[in-house]
Amino acid sequence: MKRLYANTHEWVIVEEGKDFVVGISDYAQIALGDIVFVNSPSLGDKVTQGESFGDVESVKAVSDLISPVSGKVVAVNDALLNAPELLNSDPLNTWIMKVSGSVNEAELLDEATYLALDKDH
Amino acid sequence: MASYLLNTKAQEAEMLKAIGIEKKDLFNSIPTKLKLKRSLDLPKGLSEMEVLAKLTSLANQNKVYSIILRGAGSEHHFIPSVVKQLSSREEFVSAYTPYQAEFSQGILQSIFEYQTDICELTGMDGSNASVYDGASAAAESIQMVLERNRKEILIADSVSPEVIETIMTYTTCSDATIKVLKTKGGILQEDVLKKNLNENTAALMIANPNYFGCLEKVDELSRLTHEAGAKLIVYSNPLTLAVLKSPRACGADIAVGEAQAFGLSMAFGGPYLGYMATTNELIRRLPGRIVGQTVDTEGKRSFVLTLQAREQHIRREKATSSLCSNQALCALTASVYVAAMGPVGLKEVAEHGLRRAHYFQKELEKIGFKLKNDTPFFNEFVTTSPLAAKAVERHLAQYNILSGLDIASHEILWCVTETTTKSQLDEVLGYLREVAR
Amino acid sequence: MSKLIFERSVKNRRGITLPEFDCPEVILDHEYARSSSPRLAQVAEVDVVRHYMELSRYAFGVDNGFYPLGSCTMKYNPKLNETTAALEGFNSIHPTQDPSTVKGAMSLLSNLSTSLCEITGMDGFTLQPSAGAHGEFTGLLLIHAYHSDRKDLKRTKVIVPDSAHGTNPASANMAGYTIINVPSNELGGVDVEALKGVLSDEVAALMLTNPNTLGLFDPNIEEIAALVHKAGGLLYYDGANLNAIMGEVRPGDMGFDVVHLNLHKTFSTPHGGGGPGSGPVGVKKHLMPYLPKGTIIDEHFVENEKTIGRVRSYYGNFLVNVRAYTYILSLGSNGLKEASEMAVLNANYMMSQLKEAFTVAYPGPCMHEFVLSLQDLKDKTGISAKDICKGLLDYKVHPPTMYFPLIVHEALMIEPTETESKETMDEFIKILLELKDKAYSDPDYLKNAPYTTPIKRVDDVLAARHPILKAEM
């Protein structure tokens, strides 16, 4: 199992034989501030790597969520509906969606590279 | 000329000096070529006395009827003195949108209470802070129900033509398609709906009571619509909801309508008050301003504009609506009206209309104005007319009575409210007898 | 804070009473009838009066004090407007009355349209749209109808500068257009080179506010208009800032094809805490065939075969239009020009007194408003534009518009309007300078402001995360 990052600040857990698990990085949640709502995709939606699959709202801003993988949404984290603040308090353990499909890993960064980038921000 | 300027010539000179500019140079950034080199071709300004005389003369050129039997989207109701007095308080009238919450709790709370009134009447979970009018409320609601694979909106032709036309305009450039369904006997029949529902249907919109005054079979239409996976939008005059089953109780997902009946004069069509309310499921799709309850830093209950990330100033081109205001003062007026009337008063106003409309209809029937639709109705109804509807209008106008609306050459849509007493209705019937046979 | 009206409710208490029933009862089938009463407040008339009197104490209008809210033109709302709008002959007429029985109303609306045509240099107006954003949507539908009618169907894009009000792109989106954002130049004007780069036969229109949202007149407007027209596009004028230029220059003469006005800004009709307003749309001749159904010109309802349809019921916010017409009659040609002159003079005066202490987004002469950037103050003291605004509340003045336009960091947009005196402006300037000093001497004080309002700063995160949109019963 490994966690990869998109340069748009989403992470994905890639594990052989399992669905992809997608969330946002600690840097993303800090940049967004208090998250008040997550516009998650619906079950069965098709997502494409590099394209928007929803958005997150703070009080005065909204940011697109860019999918780090391609495929079909097989699970959506319903807990976020009533507790979007989980993305602020524990971003790496709070997933947004699970996707069955494929990933072009060449377009993603490994954890170390991403975190190094993060320091530059 | 009236002037609302304060600075004297001396102050003006001081200010110009402080800026270091001459008055003639204030507009130097405008290319000379573009400047208007003459005075505006408008009359010279007038004093307050002159303007008032002029406006009074214009107002007097409008015919104010003493009995009004016309509704069709704008109803004549009694407006208690307290409503006009309170809604003309300057603090409300001359305030801007309540962006600075600490400074605007009065406006924010009044909107919150309005939202609560609308929710109580419609049975819904949340309401917005109001929109321009009923027609634009209906049009804005279309965007709320569109799904990726459901783009068709069914609308019963018993919804007001003004509302349908507005929806048509709003959706000209959207990917929604509108299909207007023919009604029979004044209401939408189940078999017609069944035939038209399919996997592309996003929603059905009906009015209840509808444009013809009839009561739709909302429960049944709701069941069929939801079985097809579509949503139900119900358009109502909220005054009738003091007596009628709420849209939510009938299964509606969205309740919209025109709340002009709540203390706003007919005023040649505006300002009016469009309301929009919905269930928790769709609340984040609700457009426009919304007020929510929260707390301040000391934990005190407070109100604030909320869910703003839906709106144009944040989402810009991704927003589903460009609404940037509400009809706050009209919403406040409506809330004062509802509070002053209370649930019992509202019910009595509605019931006066209901009773008198039925009395009037029965008497009209006797003189040849036959009820067109054999369906329960509220305070409006359509009759045939033994003579041209326009002729009826002209005849009643002689007695300072505004007749019902001619919706066809020999069909009249009547409306009776608490403002017309039984003895006045009898008087009208007397005049109609003169020409009916 | 105040109790809710529902918390004042006492079972079986009544307010207004109605006449006794004089017609037989009508029993509605239970299929139609409500089974239980709505839980509305049960209060007496005096309860209602005290409740709303209390709420009025927690509201602040331009009648209460200075309101330099940039872009909103919070000028004084003459009381005469309220008197004329309350006339029985305007209030008690039904919108479907035969035109021969509402000649006064038809004539008033026609005269108002004609006046607005003269002020803006356009050929025809519809008074139906009820707010600025409503006007924008209407204007874009007119543009769409124009291009469609000419079978010029490739035009699917609308250009919007990044300094524009959010309603511009949102309205264009509602009208089915894709938005091209163009950057502004350092004057907040259109970057002409960038504009050239995005103009094509796919562009339906450019939407522009001029004077722009930095309060500056775009000196390149002629060239911009020529470029857009040459590319086959139309020019849309957002009239939010018309108060700067009445009698000086007209959008029609600048080359605009469509304009919307905000009668609640420029023409002194009250804002009502958010509405009702009125957002008439004016067009040049070539767009007149598409004007909405319900438009009145020359005392007649226009019958356009090619109309875009109606954008709401009837003819717009009539009583708001009565107020605006009252204002135009009161001021007349000379008064309108003087109003704009004084609005511009007042703004330049305030700017001259503040430009040393704060950074002005653009230092040259402004039109009717100007924008300060408090970025420097924030960097040095940690005090933001918002903190300064909250500090202003304790002085009982309304803060300026904050964080707009988006292209200026820590923006404060100040528009005094013409109906304020030098003394009022001097007082405000003094307060702003005091607050600046406070930012250095006691930043924590400002971070916790305001102190004298009925509530302290609100938790808007809580409100958005867990929405409570109606009273608990």
Side-chain angles (χ1 to χ4, degrees), chain C residues 130-168:
Chain C
S130 303
H134 207 206
E136 288 174 22
F137 178 50
T138 307
L140 287 155
L141 290 177
L142 291 168
I143 288 169
H144 180 266
Y146 168 83
H147 289 307
S148 302
D149 196 23
R150 292 158 48 96
K151 306 275 176 285
D152 194 354
L153 304 173
K154 265 203 325 203
R155 300 190 181 271
T156 55
K157 295 173 180 163
V158 165
I159 305 175
V160 179
D162 58 1
S163 59
H165 296 108
T167 49
N168 288 182

Side-chain angles (χ1 to χ4, degrees), chain B residues 87-230:
Chain B
S87 62
S88 54
R89 292 285 310 177
E90 265 82 9
E91 298 88 338
F92 301 135
V93 173
S94 73
Y96 196 73
T97 301
Y99 291 136
Q100 296 287 345
E102 301 86 347
F103 226 29
S104 316
Q105 285 299 297
I107 302 271
L108 288 162
Q109 183 172 330
S110 78
I111 295 174
F112 184 78
E113 291 176 359
Y114 158 83
Q115 290 176 181
T116 306
D117 286 342
I118 293 297
C119 288
E120 277 303 312
L121 287 162
T122 58
M124 291 293 169
D125 299 322
S127 149
N128 69 10
S130 74
V131 297
Y132 313 128
D133 72 337
S136 58
E140 290 277 355
S141 75
I142 300 301
Q143 200 61 37
M144 293 173 64
V145 296
L146 298 181
E147 302 285 351
R148 213 168 342 130
N149 50 355
R150 290 178 180 267
K151 303 284 189 199
E152 188 171 71
I153 309 290
L154 306 176
I155 306 182
D157 71 4
S158 50
V159 172
S160 148
E162 299 254 334
V163 173
I164 296 179
E165 285 170 12
T166 304
I167 292 171
M168 291 298 190
T169 309
Y170 264 66
T171 53
T172 312
C173 301
S174 93
D175 49 3
T177 54
I178 308 293
K179 187 167 185 184
V180 177
L181 304 183
K182 277 216 171 334
T183 52
K184 216 173 102 193
I187 58 171
L188 182 60
Q189 301 295 333
E190 287 162 36
D191 56 330
V192 176
L193 177 62
K194 257 191 230 165
K195 240 182 278 167
N196 284 283
L197 283 167
N198 60 52
E199 69 279 6
N200 297 320
T201 311
L204 166 70
M205 182 185 290
I206 53 168
N208 193 50
N210 66 28
Y211 183 66
F212 309 120
C214 298
L215 298 174
E216 300 275 359
K217 301 236 170 227
V218 191
D219 291 335
E220 202 44 40
L221 299 174
S222 166
R223 191 180 58 77
L224 291 170
T225 304
H226 287 120
E227 274 172 12

